[in-house]
Amino acid sequence: MQSVMITKIFADNPNTREVRRVVDLLNEGGIVVVPTDTIYAFACSMEFKRSVEKIAQLKGFSLKKARYSMLCSSLSMASEYVRPMDKDTFSLLKECLPGPYTFVMDANNNVPRNYLNPNKTIGIRVPDNNILRTIIEAMGCPLIGTSVRREDADQETEYLTDAELINEDFGNRVDLVVDGGIGDDQPSTVIDCSGSNLEVIRYGKGEIDL
C-alpha cells in the first residue's frame, strides 16, 4: 500500500477524487486520521481486525481495553447495527444527531464481536462533519473510530486539533491524515442507552438534559 501522508479536504465541497483516495485506503485496510465535530479521530474499516489492533497500539492500550465508536453517516445507517430502540430513545437520537454525541447502544449481530464492549454494546456516532460523513457515505458502511487522544500521555490542545501537527506525530504510523481544518478540543458527550434508564457517563461538547 502506498502511503500518502496528508491531504486537505474542504467541508463545504469535499473533493470527490480525494474522498475516493481515502475510501480506497480504508478498503485496503489502511488507518486514516479524520476530522470529526469534536477531536480528530483514528478510523479504519470494520473488515480489518489488524487495523483496529494497530489503532489500539497508537492509543497506548490493549485491544481488550479499547473502546471504539462506530462512525455512521446517518441515524438510518446506525440503526442497522443496533437492537430496536424504544420511542423515547429514538426521539433523543433523532434530536441530537448529527452532533457531538456518542450513544452506547445494544449491538445486533451485524457488529463484529471484536468491537463490542463486554456487555455487547457499541458506541454510535453520527458526527456533524460533512467531510467525514461524505467519506462514510462513499464507503457505504460505518467506520470504526476513536479519538487521537492517547490515554497514557498528556497532549496539548493544539496537537489534538491541528491536522499538520497530528501528521508530525502520527504521519509515519498511519496511512493518511485528512486535514479538515482546526478541530475541537472537547470530546463527545457519552450517553448510555443500554440500560433501563438513560445515563450520561461523560459530559463533553454536546449539551444534554435527560
Side-chain angles (χ1 to χ4, degrees), residues 15 27 130 136 155 160 178 184 196:
N15 182 283
N27 281 329
N130 191 45
I136 298 168
Q155 287 176 290
L160 300 172
V178 176
D184 204 287
S196 56

Side-chain angles (χ1 to χ4, degrees), residues 73-163:
S73 61
S74 65
L75 178 55
S76 176
M77 177 182 283
S79 66
E80 297 177 15
Y81 295 86
V82 299
R83 296 190 181 280
M85 295 173 255
D86 61 42
K87 183 178 179 180
D88 290 341
T89 301
F90 180 81
S91 296
L92 177 64
L93 268 66
K94 189 174 181 181
E95 177 182 352
C96 291
L97 299 176
Y101 303 88
T102 300
F103 291 96
V104 179
M105 312 288 295
D106 291 315
N108 64 24
N109 292 333
N110 291 333
V111 181
R113 62 182 182 180
N114 297 326
Y115 313 132
L116 296 177
N117 298 323
N119 51 355
K120 297 183 180 180
T121 59
I122 184 72
I124 294 294
R125 288 269 281 128
V126 183
D128 188 14
N129 183 285
N130 191 45
I131 299 168
L132 179 54
R133 286 190 286 122
T134 298
I135 292 169
I136 298 168
E137 287 172 3
M139 286 284 292
C141 61
L143 298 176
I144 295 297
T146 182
S147 72
V148 298
R149 185 194 301 273
R150 285 177 60 87
E151 304 297 321
D152 60 351
D154 293 327
Q155 287 176 290
E156 297 179 10
T157 297
E158 60 185 5
Y159 280 88
L160 300 172
T161 61
D162 189 318

Side-chain angles (χ1 to χ4, degrees), residues 152-201:
D152 60 351
D154 293 327
Q155 287 176 290
E156 297 179 10
T157 297
E158 60 185 5
Y159 280 88
L160 300 172
T161 61
D162 189 318
E164 292 188 2
L165 294 177
I166 292 170
N167 184 54
E168 289 179 7
D169 194 4
F170 293 105
N172 63 343
R173 292 178 282 170
V174 300
D175 297 284
L176 181 66
V177 175
V178 176
D179 183 353
I182 297 299
D184 204 287
D185 62 348
Q186 295 185 74
S188 63
T189 293
V190 181
I191 303 100
D192 189 349
C193 303
S194 63
S196 56
N197 296 308
L198 301 178
E199 179 184 1
V200 179
I201 56 179

Side-chain angles (χ1 to χ4, degrees), residues 20-38:
R20 189 72 249 170
R21 178 184 296 179
V22 175
V23 169
D24 288 345
L25 282 169
L26 290 165
N27 281 329
E28 293 173 6
I31 295 171
V32 178
V33 174
V34 294
T36 75
D37 52 358
T38 58

Side-chain angles (χ1 to χ4, degrees), residues 63-76:
L63 184 60
K64 289 183 178 180
K65 293 183 179 180
R67 292 292 181 270
Y68 296 101
S69 293
M70 185 171 286
L71 305 174
C72 302
S73 61
S74 65
L75 178 55
S76 176

